[in-house]
Amino acid sequence: MDTITNPIVHDTRSYKSDQYVRWCPGCGDHAVLTCLHKAMVILQIEPHNLAAISGIGCSSRLPYYMNTYGFHTIHGRGAAVATGVKVAKPELSVWLTTGDGDSLAIGGNHFIHTIRRNVDINILLLNNKIYGLTKGQYSPTSDRGFVSKSSPYGTVEDPFHPIELALGARGTFFARCIDIDLKNTTDAFVQAEQHKGTSVVEVLQNCVIFNDNIHKEIVDKAYRDDRTILLKQGEKMIFGANMDKGLVRDGFNLKVVTIGQDGYTIEDVLVHDATTQDNILHLKLGLMAPENGFPVAIGVIRNVEGLCYDQEVKKMIDDVQVKTKVRTLNDFLMSGEVWEVK
């Protein structure tokens, strides 16, 4: 009699470790962890085929709370370790959890070159615009004039915009989400994993201790609908509490209009296409901000195809192994130019 074996169906318990979660109550890291667990359930990836990597920072404790392989590495070097893991074991789903300080300051070089190489890993960039673990210094994403323990009179520098770095490095996937928006955050994580190449997901996250309400101007329910726009592939870019506002082209720029006023109709509103190679449009969408009269773009902004570094390395190795005559260590030592000393 044939035995019918049913595939294992995982729930969130399959991906949770037995460790007590050590983050401050109310920290956005809790929501990110929950969304990652939910995304894994949707994707049904076997826990032993997952690797959670991190650098240093509050968010970098996440690997402890995943029932998977993992590395808690050193400051700013998580992307380098994640690259090594993916090249060594291409079959693994690799997730790098990092903060705006960890990845954009000391780790900035690794961040841009990982994206440039298009290594097939998922980077969760938790952006709370502060160094939380070291108790409240300004970070590379802190706004000009920001007062902190390391800038008591305000910063005198402009911040990085993560999407500028990602697209400047020819990134193939960029998404943005809000920590308290569990549904769309989970969806962004799922799409990041389904993308082949480096996926960057910027999570606008709150630090309740050292930078509370830093994203309040867009996440507060009183005006979130008017100050954010959820981009969906193939759908009109409309937003607002009454869903009556839209984005249209104005020459080489974008413009916010009210549908039904000043001659604008729904037909004039742009349709979102994350798959177009036009990274200039994606950059314009990613840089929108309320202070410029635009809503902040949430969702998958860019999702294009490209060659993956890890797969190209594997192809090269396979090709060399077929062609080479070297089969043993002695073959290697005796290959090339050799000579005997007497």
Side-chain angles (χ1 to χ4, degrees), residues 51 53 79-94 114 117-121 308-318:
I53 316 296
V81 174
T83 296
V85 170
K86 188 64 182 182
V87 171
K89 300 287 288 183
E91 67 274 17
L92 292 182
S93 172
V94 180
T114 298
R117 293 176 176 128
N118 202 32
V119 186
D120 188 18
I121 67 173
C308 296
Y309 177 84
D310 46 289
Q311 293 301 315
E312 293 302 300
V313 169
K314 184 177 185 304
K315 288 179 184 178
M316 181 180 65
I317 293 174
D318 292 343

Side-chain angles (χ1 to χ4, degrees), residues 17-327:
S17 76
D18 60 358
Q19 296 296 300
Y20 175 76
V21 180
R22 293 174 174 83
W23 284 317
C24 300
C27 174
D29 290 346
H30 290 281
V32 172
L33 178 64
T34 296
C35 291
L36 185 56
H37 287 151
K38 290 183 175 182
M40 293 303 100
V41 172
I42 294 171
L43 293 162
Q44 285 295 297
I45 300 174
E46 295 294 333
H48 64 268
N49 285 330
L50 283 164
I53 316 296
S54 67
I56 294 297
C58 294
S59 62
S60 294
R61 293 195 60 83
L62 187 140
Y64 294 100
Y65 313 133
M66 297 290 293
N67 182 33
T68 66
Y69 293 111
F71 285 101
H72 187 185
T73 68
I74 56 180
H75 203 192
R77 272 61 179 181
V81 174
T83 296
V85 170
K86 188 64 182 182
V87 171
K89 300 287 288 183
E91 67 274 17
L92 292 182
S93 172
V94 180
W95 294 77
L96 169 64
T97 308
T98 182
D100 46 294
D102 182 47
S103 62
L104 302 184
I106 189 172
N109 197 45
H110 295 298
F111 180 76
I112 60 174
H113 287 294
T114 298
I115 296 170
R116 177 182 65 84
R117 293 176 176 128
N118 202 32
V119 186
D120 188 18
I121 67 173
N122 307 298
I123 301 176
L124 305 184
L125 173 57
L126 278 60
N127 185 4
N128 54 22
K129 299 188 177 185
I130 196 76
Y131 278 98
L133 186 66
T134 50
K135 308 300 185 287
Q137 298 80 16
Y138 75 92
S139 84
T141 58
S142 298
D143 298 320
R144 175 179 283 271
F146 181 75
V147 175
S148 72
K149 291 182 178 179
S150 56
S151 56
Y153 306 108
T155 64
V156 293
E157 56 191 68
D158 290 320
F160 269 144
H161 297 290
I163 192 168
E164 281 188 304
L165 294 179
L167 270 58
R170 298 193 297 277
T172 56
F173 184 101
F174 190 92
R176 183 185 291 128
C177 50
I178 302 170
D179 55 3
I180 60 174
D181 184 0
L182 302 187
K183 179 182 182 300
N184 289 314
T185 300
T186 301
D187 182 59
F189 291 177
V190 170
Q191 292 190 63
E193 171 60 23
Q194 292 171 337
H195 173 75
K196 298 305 177 186
T198 304
S199 300
V200 180
V201 182
E202 179 189 14
V203 182
L204 302 181
Q205 179 219 7
N206 193 41
C207 174
V208 294
I209 304 300
F210 297 107
N211 211 13
D212 196 21
N213 292 320
I214 185 57
H215 301 296
K216 183 179 179 180
E217 67 172 6
I218 63 170
V219 304
D220 192 293
K221 288 185 177 180
Y223 34 74
R224 185 193 308 173
D225 291 339
D226 288 320
R227 296 184 180 178
T228 62
I229 180 170
L230 177 61
L231 300 179
K232 294 184 178 181
Q233 178 65 19
E235 296 188 12
K236 292 283 186 178
M237 291 191 256
I238 57 177
F239 67 102
N242 299 316
M243 294 300 283
D244 59 348
K245 298 179 182 179
L247 296 178
V248 301
R249 282 192 181 274
D250 183 24
F252 292 106
N253 298 313
L254 296 175
K255 179 180 179 180
V256 174
V257 301
T258 300
I259 301 169
Q261 294 184 14
D262 300 322
Y264 289 104
T265 69
I266 189 65
E267 298 302 321
D268 297 309
V269 177
L270 293 171
V271 173
H272 180 51
D273 184 5
T275 65
T276 178
Q277 291 294 334
D278 184 3
N279 64 354
I280 300 301
L281 176 58
H282 294 155
L283 181 60
K284 287 181 180 296
L285 290 170
L287 291 178
M288 294 189 305
E291 56 265 30
N292 299 322
F294 288 93
V296 172
I298 304 299
V300 177
I301 298 172
R302 182 169 176 80
N303 186 359
V304 300
E305 295 182 355
L307 296 176
C308 296
Y309 177 84
D310 46 289
Q311 293 301 315
E312 293 302 300
V313 169
K314 184 177 185 304
K315 288 179 184 178
M316 181 180 65
I317 293 174
D318 292 343
D319 184 58
V320 171
Q321 287 178 334
V322 169
K323 296 177 180 178
T324 185
K325 295 180 180 179
V326 175
R327 290 291 180 268

